[in-house]
Amino acid sequence: MTKSGATKKSQSLSEPKSAPKDDLKSLPMPEVEKRLASSPDGLSQDEAQKRLSQYGPNEIEEKKTNAILKFLSYFWGPIPWMIEAAVILSAVAQHWPDFAIILILLLANAVVGFWEEHQAGNAIAALKAKLANKAQLKRDGKWISLEARELVPGDVIHLRLGDIVPADARLLESDPVEVDQSALTGESLPVTRKPGEAVFSGSIIRTGEIDALVYATGKNTYFGKTTQLMQEAQSPSHFQRAVLKIGNYLIILAVTLVAIIITVALFRGDPMLITLQFALVLTVAAIPVAMPTVLSVTMAVGARLLAKKEAIVTRLAAIEELAGVDVLCADKTGTLTQNKLALGDPFCVNGIPADQVIFNAALASRADNQDTIDLAVLDGLKDKDALKGYDVVHFQPFDPVHKRTEATVKGEEGKPFKVTKGAPQVIMELSANAAQVKSAVDKAINEFAARGFRSLGVARAEGDGAWQFLGVLPLSDPPREEAKATIATARAMGVKVKMVTGDAMAIARETARTLGMGTNILDAGGFGDTKHHETAQLAESIENVGGFAQVFPEHKFHIIDVLQQRGHIVGMTGDGVNDAPALKKADCGIAVSGATDAARAAASIVLMTSGLSVIIDAIKESRKIFQRMNSYAIYRITETLRVLLFMTLSILVFNFYPVTAVMIVMLALLNDGAILSIAYDNVHYKDKPEAWNMHRVLGIATVLGVIGVVSAFGLFYLGERVFHLDRAHIQTLMYLKLSVAGHLTIFLTRTRGPFWSIRPALVLWVAVLGTQIVATLIAVYGLFMTPLGWGWAAFVWGYALAWFLVNDGVKLLAYRVFDPTAAPLLEKKQSM
């Protein structure tokens, strides 16, 4: 190619970029070739490289957050700010041990959170790598095989049976091909595409072989345009909101108490350094240092458990979202159904046996074509050896002009005959007995249509004789075997399943009826302009119906949006490109087994095994994980309140620091370190969706926190007024009490009934016992504090256990006030 020729090509290539996509999809082929500066001979390798630089790889770019920025994000927010404030105060007060320990906790929280999300990202990246596909294309006049990402507009590709179309292309001269677009449109049945027509990236060639001219790649394809909707779909995590609310609650409380103390200290004339030291201690006490880490680890452990059940979590917060899902929008094709045609009971004329109708249709079918209709008919044969002894002399495959297949066959006796199958009206026109059977056949076809079946006519001709109509074969896309039971189980767990499909109303209704979802199906074609808000009546219909028919990608996205606006936590299952925007928009998107790249990238959970039953397992597991997080949140707030209020009142009333800064840091290290084991605890899951009830969480925690302050002052009173201990010994006494009673609190908050109602996991027992042995040894032998001795340590343990029993009774009363539904939980199944 000359330099000027290359320049002309590059100049002409700027045209399709500005031209509307539909132009290249519908313009006459000579004009398309002119705009793309290409021909059926393809491109040169040099020209292809230039276009690759111009257009970029043929892939859908995903938004990727810079790893450093992602890591730094863990240092931003109310809780990290509080930890950072404590670090600064430690440095100002020159409390270097405190400074080092708090800084380590801050870094540990960020590293754990970042690592867990990074691991989840690697998992989905590995999945996508397995799905990379190749393309046959013509370069420099020769056919070569390259990765599909190397394709550029103007390339000529070869498509054959079973190929996934790698880019949007116009078909060149050849016989028509059958294309499966179910991953794009949700339609079960393949469509016929003739030379000159467009085929879209992500669709599958079902019959035939043909060359095609690529006119759009990457984000400019139909596939890519669909995934652009995902950029609009950003649903904030309820988990993030809950953590922020807890953090804000503690911040406001800490700031208020610090302000009170500073004001009192100024009136008393206390030295500023002492006041600053107290502000440091109080700030440390107010920080739920390990809360983000514990909650992240709890979800990460749950993610690993789900992975063992063939469900890969790509976004940790999705586990908490799944626990709250109360509406599950399930894509029909390939999700509720098998995405595979099945033969129903035939309609026969003139008393011809059903087996004979199927047999003749099977002779007019070919397995090696992998045509879905042919395979369905062949699968309908009861005797798989019935075709042996019959020689197919000539076979005419289906084409859009004749709309039927035809085979010339020699029977076992050597007599030739012909068989055909196809569109019923076409087969009827061929048949000599059409007039006699027309009314009965039309009635049968209408009945099949009402039940969601597609009809296939069958006829036979002996030798050169006339065609005789034999009967009608009904075809359907059958539901998955476990789908009905899965839907029933989901309903029992408080999750309403809604079917979403691009199929016609009749098929949608029949599928819904078969699956026990009712027949109240809404036609999405009536949504109109989905950019506008619905009337209240339509929004209510969307909320109440059992499913939606004739749905386009923007409708799916819109259905999710309306349900979310009406207060629902929405899950979405799907496998195709057309599901991707809704998967991203949903609170929890679930890509089922065999999903496309786009669906997997958009989903929060990717299923690696077929069937929906794993979704129920995932919901159960997510609800157990939620219970663990909820228990920890109540525990952490309770302990923070105890320390905050006890220290503040001690300063205000007695002008005395009941514990030192080092004691506070040691409490955080021992208690929050061991409490990570709650991620493995035994819990009950509820048969209804979970949600963060901050009124209940803060209410229960506040009651338990206040009771803890009462018990702490009781011990303080005994130590100072009854036993006349000095202040140094009282500080050690109070440290051990706060440590022992604090860890016993987890056995209160982990159950909504009496503390013995659910047996704790062994790992939790060992963690609590181990850390409290360490805390007791520290107090007894006086590491960083005044030695207490074994006698006083035993007294503290007895005191803490007695109050533990009192606190359990108070907890039960508090649940009656803040959560009247708590009692029935005791009747639920225990799950280890």
Side-chain angles (χ1 to χ4, degrees), residues 88-207:
I88 294 169
L89 286 172
S90 298
V92 172
Q94 296 187 355
H95 287 186
W96 301 118
D98 299 349
F99 173 86
I101 291 171
I102 298 168
L103 187 60
I104 288 171
L105 288 171
L106 176 66
L107 291 171
N109 173 62
V111 168
V112 170
F114 174 78
W115 178 252
E116 292 297 345
E117 289 221 10
H118 177 69
Q119 289 293 89
N122 286 346
I124 193 65
L127 288 174
K128 291 186 66 179
K130 292 179 182 178
L131 297 173
N133 58 325
K134 299 269 187 178
Q136 294 287 327
L137 63 155
K138 190 179 281 188
R139 293 274 174 87
D140 293 320
K142 295 180 181 178
W143 289 105
I144 60 173
S145 177
L146 285 179
E147 285 191 12
R149 68 189 305 274
E150 301 289 331
L151 286 177
V152 295
D155 263 328
V156 171
I157 56 176
H158 183 66
L159 302 173
R160 55 188 173 183
L161 178 69
D163 282 354
I164 297 175
V165 179
D168 287 2
R170 295 287 293 275
L171 298 180
L172 298 172
E173 284 302 318
S174 185
D175 293 331
V177 292
E178 291 283 317
V179 182
D180 179 354
Q181 299 187 144
S182 61
L184 301 171
T185 65
E187 295 173 346
S188 306
L189 301 173
V191 295
T192 301
R193 289 288 176 258
K194 294 180 282 188
E197 294 185 337
V199 288
F200 302 117
S201 171
S203 53
I204 302 170
I205 304 299
R206 287 302 185 197
T207 64

Side-chain angles (χ1 to χ4, degrees), residues 654-722:
F654 302 103
N655 196 21
F656 166 63
Y657 287 89
V659 288
T660 65
V662 171
M663 290 177 180
I664 290 292
V665 174
M666 289 172 67
L667 280 172
L669 279 173
L670 288 174
N671 288 22
D672 279 336
I675 213 66
L676 285 171
S677 61
I678 198 173
Y680 302 91
D681 193 21
N682 301 329
V683 291
H684 288 166
Y685 65 84
K686 292 199 297 184
D687 278 342
K688 65 178 183 179
E690 292 279 14
W692 284 100
N693 185 335
M694 298 313 296
H695 172 71
R696 181 183 65 210
V697 169
L698 297 177
I700 300 295
T702 301
V703 169
L704 291 176
V706 170
I707 294 298
V709 173
V710 172
S711 68
F713 272 114
L715 184 61
F716 181 79
Y717 175 82
L718 291 174
E720 185 175 64
R721 299 298 172 88
V722 177

Side-chain angles (χ1 to χ4, degrees), residues 605-669:
I605 296 176
V606 180
L607 305 183
M608 298 303 294
T609 186
S610 61
L612 294 177
S613 59
V614 68
I615 296 176
I616 299 303
D617 290 337
I619 291 175
K620 290 176 182 177
E621 192 63 47
S622 68
R623 291 183 183 179
K624 288 188 281 184
I625 294 164
F626 183 91
Q627 286 295 325
R628 295 179 186 121
M629 293 194 297
N630 192 74
S631 299
Y632 173 75
I634 296 175
Y635 157 79
R636 184 64 267 167
I637 299 170
T638 297
E639 285 311 293
T640 301
L641 288 175
R642 284 182 180 180
V643 177
L644 273 177
L645 295 175
F646 176 59
M647 290 182 65
T648 303
L649 293 174
S650 297
I651 289 291
L652 292 177
V653 178
F654 302 103
N655 196 21
F656 166 63
Y657 287 89
V659 288
T660 65
V662 171
M663 290 177 180
I664 290 292
V665 174
M666 289 172 67
L667 280 172
L669 279 173

Side-chain angles (χ1 to χ4, degrees), residues 751-772:
T751 67
R752 299 188 185 186
F755 70 89
W756 65 82
S757 57
I758 308 174
R759 180 174 59 84
L762 179 62
V763 65
L764 184 62
W765 269 116
V766 171
V768 171
L769 187 62
T771 55
Q772 291 321 297

Side-chain angles (χ1 to χ4, degrees), residues 173-244:
E173 284 302 318
S174 185
D175 293 331
V177 292
E178 291 283 317
V179 182
D180 179 354
Q181 299 187 144
S182 61
L184 301 171
T185 65
E187 295 173 346
S188 306
L189 301 173
V191 295
T192 301
R193 289 288 176 258
K194 294 180 282 188
E197 294 185 337
V199 288
F200 302 117
S201 171
S203 53
I204 302 170
I205 304 299
R206 287 302 185 197
T207 64
E209 244 178 272
I210 196 167
D211 295 344
L213 178 64
V214 173
Y215 69 84
T217 59
K219 65 182 179 181
N220 296 317
T221 62
Y222 176 83
F223 180 112
K225 295 287 283 184
T226 302
T227 58
Q228 291 301 308
L229 282 171
M230 291 189 292
Q231 304 303 322
E232 304 173 23
Q234 299 295 332
S235 299
S237 165
H238 295 80
F239 165 70
Q240 300 284 352
R241 294 177 197 159
V243 173
L244 286 175

Side-chain angles (χ1 to χ4, degrees), residues 4-82:
S4 60
T7 304
K8 286 179 182 177
K9 278 199 171 187
S10 297
Q11 288 172 346
S12 64
L13 267 174
S14 63
E15 292 179 24
K17 228 177 176 184
S18 59
K21 179 185 166 191
D22 283 347
D23 281 354
L24 292 175
K25 186 174 76 173
S26 56
L27 280 174
M29 283 300 294
E31 181 66 21
V32 173
E33 291 177 11
K34 181 180 176 183
R35 289 202 182 197
L36 291 172
S38 185
S39 72
D41 293 327
L43 302 173
S44 69
Q45 189 65 31
D46 290 341
E47 179 63 22
Q49 286 301 318
K50 291 177 185 177
R51 299 192 184 196
L52 187 62
S53 300
Q54 179 181 354
Y55 288 94
N58 176 39
E59 58 189 5
I60 308 301
E61 292 184 14
E62 292 181 55
K63 280 189 174 180
K64 292 185 178 179
T65 306
N66 182 280
I68 295 175
L69 293 177
K70 181 66 177 176
F71 179 71
L72 292 177
S73 71
Y74 287 91
F75 297 93
W76 188 259
I79 292 176
W81 292 338
M82 294 172 72

